[in-house]
Amino acid sequence: MEFTEIVQERRGRGAWIRLARPKALNTLTPTLVGEFNAALDQALADPAVIAIVVTGTGRAFCAGADLKFLNELPEDQRNRRMAEFLESVLQLMLRLEKLPKPVIGAVNGLATGGGMELLLCCDLVVAAGSARLGDGHANFGLLPGGGGSVRLPRKIGPTRAKYLFFTGELVPAAELVAAGLVNEVVEDAALEQAVERLVGKLSNKSPLGLARMKTLVDDGLEQPREVALRAELVAGGLHAHSFDMREGIAAFNEKRSPQFRGV
């Protein structure tokens, strides 16, 4: 399909999805959500893609949802269409979170509201030094609608999360490294190169191994410790039958680089 609100790009083994509504701070629309899902379909179908990168255009990563389209509808349709749109955003977030390939958030600028919620669904986050992050819903009398109230406390702890929720403040990305939301902050001009290096570090890893490790970590956070440990043991037994594990061991013994197939 032809994209109008995102830009899709392949860089090495990374599939880049760039939100492309800079004048509107890359806010989410029904069209953008549909295009985002289509881009994910293509990235997942390509075995050469090891990781998916999400970033923005201009001075924002994403400033949340754009609800202006509701003004063009008859009043009796607005509540229904808003509910449908928010459900589509929520489903996109859930899908992004559960993707079998690592997702990297490249925060080029402002990330607030739904933009913050989008980042919470990324596995790794690299941010530009000038990037500022926060929730912002309280500034407009709104509630999080993309899973922020659930994911943010689990990511950075309830006290830090409540501060961002209650105050609506935007804070420098560097302040959220110690909190665990951001992995690395780099100079603005070095953001994309830093993300490309990170994708490069993943490029020689087993796609199957990465997918299973992601599942173990994410599922383990939601389970009692003993249940999670048993799940890891079961996954290890299953993984022992994979080509990639056998290839990895053979490559180690033969002192060569492994040639993984993702199976």
Side-chain angles (χ1 to χ4, degrees):
M1 63 179 293
E2 183 178 348
F3 297 128
T4 60
E5 297 192 357
I6 69 166
V7 174
Q8 188 181 33
E9 183 182 1
R10 273 289 301 278
R11 296 192 185 185
R13 298 194 67 186
W16 288 62
I17 300 174
R18 189 184 303 275
L19 310 188
R21 303 185 68 235
K23 293 182 180 179
L25 301 180
N26 300 317
T27 44
L28 305 175
T29 68
T31 297
L32 191 149
V33 170
E35 293 181 2
F36 203 128
N37 273 306
L40 290 179
D41 289 340
Q42 293 181 22
L44 289 174
D46 188 346
V49 170
I50 194 72
I52 295 166
V53 179
V54 182
T55 192
T57 305
R59 64 188 184 92
F61 172 77
C62 175
D66 187 341
L67 301 178
K68 294 187 182 70
F69 74 94
L70 296 173
N71 296 331
E72 302 172 0
L73 299 173
E75 189 170 352
D76 61 351
Q77 295 182 21
R78 291 176 186 174
N79 287 342
R80 176 179 60 82
R81 289 293 298 278
M82 181 173 180
E84 291 173 351
F85 173 57
L86 293 179
E87 176 66 19
S88 72
V89 171
L90 179 61
Q91 291 304 316
L92 174 62
M93 302 288 188
L94 286 169
R95 184 185 187 193
L96 199 65
E97 185 177 47
K98 295 297 183 182
L99 286 181
K101 298 185 180 187
V103 179
I104 302 171
V107 193
N108 57 297
L110 176 72
T112 184
M116 166 72 85
E117 291 172 322
L118 194 59
L119 282 182
L120 289 168
C121 297
C122 296
D123 300 299
L124 304 172
V125 175
V126 181
S130 65
R132 298 178 68 83
L133 288 65
D135 181 66
H137 286 100
N139 297 332
F140 306 98
L142 302 174
L143 297 177
S149 65
V150 176
R151 293 188 180 96
L152 189 60
R154 284 168 166 76
K155 179 74 73 172
I156 68 174
T159 303
R160 288 191 181 101
K162 287 175 183 176
Y163 181 86
L164 292 178
F165 286 139
F166 295 169
T167 65
E169 288 183 3
L170 299 177
V171 301
E175 292 185 14
L176 294 171
V177 173
L181 179 60
V182 177
N183 294 93
E184 181 183 9
V185 176
V186 299
E187 293 183 5
D188 288 21
L191 176 64
E192 295 192 6
Q193 292 89 338
V195 174
E196 288 176 344
R197 285 196 300 272
L198 181 54
V199 173
K201 291 180 181 180
L202 304 182
S203 294
N204 63 348
K205 305 300 189 291
S206 160
L208 181 64
L210 293 176
R212 285 178 168 165
M213 281 190 283
K214 176 174 176 173
T215 297
L216 284 171
V217 172
D218 291 346
D219 288 356
L221 290 171
E222 304 299 327
Q223 297 171 339
R225 181 173 179 272
E226 294 302 320
V227 174
L229 288 170
R230 286 197 297 272
E232 182 185 83
L233 187 61
V234 171
L238 177 64
H239 197 63
H241 297 283
S242 68
F243 169 86
D244 279 6
M245 180 170 171
R246 295 194 300 273
E247 168 64 8
I249 293 173
F252 176 80
N253 291 332
E254 296 167 13
K255 296 181 174 56
R256 61 175 175 80
S257 297
Q259 302 298 315
F260 295 121
R261 298 180 185 171
V263 294

